[in-house]
């Protein structure tokens, strides 16, 4: 018997032959599956990556800090004082009680004269006051102006006659608009429908058109220098009465006149 034949017929030879057949059946198919999976992975990578490029992990986005919103504070209005009064020298428009045509309509000139002496911190006698009123009235008459003038006219003459060039006309919408000027240290000149004013010292129910100076206010109302009566120094009007009566000069109807005031800065 040859050696080859002897080897194949021994128990050991039979066992080895059996194991070879088993490896071929179980191990080789598994290796084939693994090889196919590796080939698929390499093929996918090469198709999604540009030649020569390196695949890098995607950077992680850094969250942006949210911008802080700071609210702009709303300015608060300074509250008005509960009362205020300016010391404005007083003069009645007829210093000697002579209510002739010149003095009867001199409330505008006298009102401006009082405010002028307030700013200049000067005083005057009755004689000096009467002479100043007369000169001022004649000055306007020489330029063609009549007995009644508006706040705009008075402001113009303040520049021409007194060299007071800081006047301004303000349209008012409430009592507080007047209070603000007084609290800031500025006497207020207003025109008014005289017959609407509650002043028992007026004769014949008061003039159709009147002008006066508001010098202060408190819980009781406005404090004025009213040149229309000898008792006019610190004369009081209620808030409603004076405010409702305020009208600038209107030759057709005084009640149609604008609600305005004249102050000097």
């Amino acid at each position: 018997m040859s050696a080859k034949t002897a080897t194949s017929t021994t128990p050991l030879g039979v066992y080895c032959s059996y194991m070879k057949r088993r490896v071929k059946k179980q191990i080789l198919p598994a290796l084939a599956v693994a090889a196919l999976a590796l080939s698929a992975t390499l093929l996918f990578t090469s198709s999604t990556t540009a030649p020569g490029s390196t695949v890098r992990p995607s950077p992680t986005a850094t969250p942006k800090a949210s911008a802080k919103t700071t609210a702009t504070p709303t300015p608060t209005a300074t509250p008005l004082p509960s009362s205020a009064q300016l010391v404005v020298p007083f003069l009645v428009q007829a210093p000697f009680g002579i209510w002739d045509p010149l003095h009867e309509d001199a409330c505008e000139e006298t009102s401006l004269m009082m405010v002028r002496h307030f700013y200049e911190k000067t005083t005057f006698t009755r004689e000096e006051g009467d002479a100043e009123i007369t000169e001022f009235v004649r000055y306007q008459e020489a330029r063609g102006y009549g007995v009644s003038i508006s706040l705009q006219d008075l402001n113009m003459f303040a520049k021409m006659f007194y060299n007071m060039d800081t006047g301004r006309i303000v349209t008012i919408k409430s009592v507080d608009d007047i209070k603000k000027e007084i609290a800031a240290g500025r006497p207020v000149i207003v025109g008014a429908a005289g017959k609407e004013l509650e002043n028992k010292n007026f004769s014949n129910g008061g003039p159709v058109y009147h002008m006066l100076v508001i010098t202060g206010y408190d819980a009781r109302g406005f404090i004025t220098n009213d040149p229309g009566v000898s008792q006019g120094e610190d004369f009081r009007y209620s808030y409603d009465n004076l405010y409702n009566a305020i009208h600038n000069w209107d030759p057709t109807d005084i009640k149609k006149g604008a609600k305005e005031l004249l102050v000097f800065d």
Side-chain angles (χ1 to χ4, degrees), residues 26-41:
Q26 296 182 1
I27 301 303
L28 290 179
L31 289 176
V33 170
L36 288 173
L38 179 60
S39 297
T41 301

Side-chain angles (χ1 to χ4, degrees), residues 117-168:
H117 284 281
F118 166 80
Y119 282 111
E120 293 188 356
K121 297 180 174 58
T122 52
T123 58
F124 44 81
T125 64
R126 280 200 306 169
E127 291 77 11
E128 291 169 338
D130 189 50
E132 189 171 330
I133 290 171
T134 301
E135 183 183 3
F136 195 6
V137 171
R138 299 300 185 207
Y139 181 86
Q140 295 172 70
E141 290 176 342
R143 285 154 183 79
Y145 282 79
V147 294
S148 295
I149 60 174
S150 67
L151 291 174
Q152 286 78 4
D153 294 333
L154 191 63
N155 188 31
M156 177 186 68
F157 282 118
K159 298 176 186 178
M160 296 169 61
F161 190 73
Y162 285 130
N163 198 30
M164 297 171 67
D165 59 1
T166 61
R168 56 185 170 88

Side-chain angles (χ1 to χ4, degrees), residues 14 17 21 74 84 96-97 103-104 119 134 136 149 152 162 177 213 236 258 260:
V14 173
S17 177
R21 290 194 301 270
T74 303
F96 292 97
H103 293 89
E104 196 172 54
Y119 282 111
T134 301
F136 195 6
I149 60 174
Q152 286 78 4
Y162 285 130
D177 291 335
V213 182
R236 290 179 174 273
E260 296 173 324

